[in-house]
Amino acid sequence: MPLWPSPISTTDVASSGLRLAWPTVSGDEVWWTEDRPDEGGRTTIVHRAADGTRTELLAAPWNARSRVHEYGGQPYLVTPRGVVFVDITDQRLYLITSGEPEPLTPDDGSRYADLHLGEDRLWCVRERHDGKVTRAIVSVPLDGGPVEELVTGNDFYAYPTLSPDGLHLAYICWNHPRMPWNGTELRITRLADGNSWTVKGGSSESVLAPAWKDDSHLYLVSDWSGWWNLYQIGIYGTSSQALHPAEEEFGSPLWQLGGRPYLVMADGRLAVLHGQGDLRLGLLDPETGELRDLDVPYSGWDPALSADGTTLAGVAYGGAIPRSVARIDTVTGRVEGLRRDIAELPDVSYLPTPEPVEFTGRFGRRVHAFLYRPLHAEGPAPYVVFVHGGPTAHSGSALDLEKAFFTSRGIGVIDVNYGGSTGYGRAYRDRLRGQWGIVDVEDTVAAAEWLVAEGHADPAHVAVRGGSAGGWTVMAACCRSNVFAGGVSYFGVSALAPLNAHTHDFESRYTEWLVGPEDPALYASREPLALAGGVSCPMLLLQGLDDPVVPPSQSSAFADALSERGVPCTYLAFEGESHGFRRTETRTAALAAELSFYQQIFTMA
């Protein structure tokens, strides 16, 4: 297959991933985290002073990343005494003022996340691995005193939030086998005597992100109506009211700890993220319910805002705007982009425009996706169907050089938000309940068929690729259909029982919701490894050898099964890589292999 020349190289894509995240604004100062792909994916903390000077707070080998739930979350907190952060090596909390960081917690293997500031201490989630995994909400004195355990008894905790008067602690908790988007409880603990009670939530209601309105009332996000909407409630579960009922999401799935999808501003209004699919930024008056979107150049935001007075900070993006740390003055409307994920963009003519599309899948289901047309296309073109991970997650419209890498060479992309994806309400999420390996596959196949029916794609030149849970869908789709010329799986799941036995605690019961209770016959009817005999197209499998979420054996076993049948399969394993490739050299090699794979299969087809 001949490709068009493109100025976007594999190195451009691999080195662009700074993964800007977790901004904090205080006065005229802003902090955030960013990755260093050329330093093995190390995460550092960056400080932008009032005069615009940018300083990296952590020099190598310090690496600010929490491993709570393995996905971590915001790994630092700005305090009056300095910046507290979690180092990936030992997972201890450290305080940095000037010079070398000083430890705040003992070197006992405990992990920390979801850091919140009290008067002279931190409130956070602690995770321990002592034969079994346990979690608690603890307080950590900023002077380095002993860690105090405050709340225990549940499998998981999030959002420990102290009331303004310091008398009550609000938090979210849930237990196996639920995930936080299935069912959580908002609980209150009275610190004077330790008494606790549930305010809202349960096994079939996902409650997130409590924030104190005053000493006796809370704001929260709940999907009680079928959408993650905002509510106000008393601390004893009284006076519950919806602030702005809408068929929109005001929250997102809790894969990482510490992010806030809304914040209370100094004037009492709420800065909120809301929408279907991408989240827009607006200001909500909780007294009147009036919601006004801010005039900003971005089409979407990460669900992790920071506020100080009338100033907001967040990570925002657009179809032609790189992910950026942005600061907004809500009084003057001034918008500043402080740091971009991509330092220099290629000519805008090489960047595809994301087009939101809907099409009909099996049984009349509506399926959401983003279409990225290939450059130079005249008539049906080769296409790759992108399948996101999660699977309880969402693909947005953010500028992605990886997609531009393909579209600028004449290969189109459609990024599918299959049934089970977030951003479109609970009913859309729940389509995948007990149907993993069926609904996701059917919607992915429907995307390919829609491309062909609409004249976008050459039916012999459609491939599919995805990572993690998306890798499962890629393998399963190649097992169950013959519409794809080839499949590319990044650290994908191929067998369920081994996954249950070896994956991390957070997702160890996830398959009960996605598929059902462990049953050999049921699992064999779904998992790609058992269905490998149905694969007739070539496949490329890529895997990190230090992956704690999806063990390398998942990819290698599937590769062996295909090779035994004589199906062309390439398996590439990378030392030192975890769940999601971070190193420049790995990302470069993987993308080059993927492009070469498409050239080969589209020529063969």
Side-chain angles (χ1 to χ4, degrees), residues 208-212 218-221 229-231 243 250-251 259-265 270-273 281-282 284 303-307 312:
L208 305 170
W212 292 92
L218 288 151
Y219 297 120
L220 59 97
V221 172
N229 278 193
L230 275 162
Y231 294 82
L243 301 183
F250 286 74
R260 293 279 177 172
Y262 74 94
L263 292 167
V264 183
M265 303 294 289
L270 304 182
V272 301
L273 297 174
L281 178 62
L284 172 64
L305 295 174
S306 175
L312 286 170

Side-chain angles (χ1 to χ4, degrees), residues 466-554:
S468 190
W472 154 282
T473 303
V474 166
M475 289 185 276
C478 291
C479 292
R480 291 179 173 275
S481 73
N482 58 4
V483 302
F484 297 110
V488 178
S489 168
Y490 283 79
F491 33 87
V493 176
S494 69
L496 296 174
L499 180 73
N500 294 344
H502 297 292
T503 195
H504 60 134
D505 182 67
F506 178 60
E507 293 183 87
S508 62
R509 306 282 296 277
Y510 194 14
T511 54
E512 293 183 27
W513 186 87
L514 291 169
V515 179
E518 188 162 331
D519 175 80
L522 174 62
Y523 280 12
S525 71
R526 298 290 181 84
E527 58 191 19
L529 187 59
L531 302 173
V535 179
S536 58
C537 64
M539 299 202 69
L540 171 64
L541 310 179
L542 305 105
Q543 177 70 48
L545 292 178
D546 293 341
D547 192 333
V549 178
V550 179
S553 58
Q554 293 278 326

Side-chain angles (χ1 to χ4, degrees), residues 4 55 83 105 137 188 192 212 247 290 334 381 394 427 487 506 558 590:
W4 291 86
T55 305
V83 175
T105 55
I137 295 177
I188 303 290
W212 292 92
E247 290 189 349
E290 179 184 0
R334 183 185 181 194
H394 175 260
F506 178 60
F558 193 70

Side-chain angles (χ1 to χ4, degrees), residues 31-63:
W31 294 257
W32 63 84
T33 63
E34 58 184 63
D35 284 5
R36 295 283 187 265
D38 57 349
E39 297 180 33
R42 184 180 72 88
T43 302
T44 188
I45 302 169
V46 175
H47 171 233
R48 188 183 189 275
D51 63 2
T53 303
R54 199 165 62 220
T55 305
E56 184 177 331
L57 296 187
L58 299 180
W62 294 102
N63 189 345

Side-chain angles (χ1 to χ4, degrees), residues 245-370:
E247 290 189 349
E248 293 186 335
E249 303 284 39
F250 286 74
S252 60
L254 193 63
W255 282 104
Q256 293 185 300
L257 300 178
R260 293 279 177 172
Y262 74 94
L263 292 167
V264 183
M265 303 294 289
D267 61 4
R269 291 183 297 173
L270 304 182
V272 301
L273 297 174
H274 70 105
Q276 289 194 27
D278 292 323
L279 299 177
R280 306 185 304 277
L281 178 62
L283 291 176
L284 172 64
D285 186 331
E287 302 302 322
T288 66
E290 179 184 0
L291 174 59
R292 176 178 63 86
D293 284 345
L294 296 178
D295 184 14
V296 296
Y298 309 108
S299 61
W301 295 75
D302 288 355
L305 295 174
S306 175
D308 185 34
T310 59
T311 303
L312 286 170
V315 173
Y317 55 82
I321 303 174
R323 293 170 59 84
S324 306
V325 176
R327 178 169 59 187
I328 299 173
D329 187 319
T330 58
V331 175
T332 66
R334 183 185 181 194
V335 180
E336 299 174 88
L338 306 181
R339 178 71 158 160
R340 304 198 313 177
D341 185 47
I342 305 170
E344 293 187 19
L345 286 177
D347 188 301
V348 68
S349 64
Y350 288 95
L351 301 178
T353 300
E355 301 175 40
V357 297
E358 291 185 22
F359 50 87
T360 302
R362 195 173 186 194
F363 304 122
R365 292 191 300 255
R366 299 299 294 168
V367 183
H368 299 272
F370 286 98

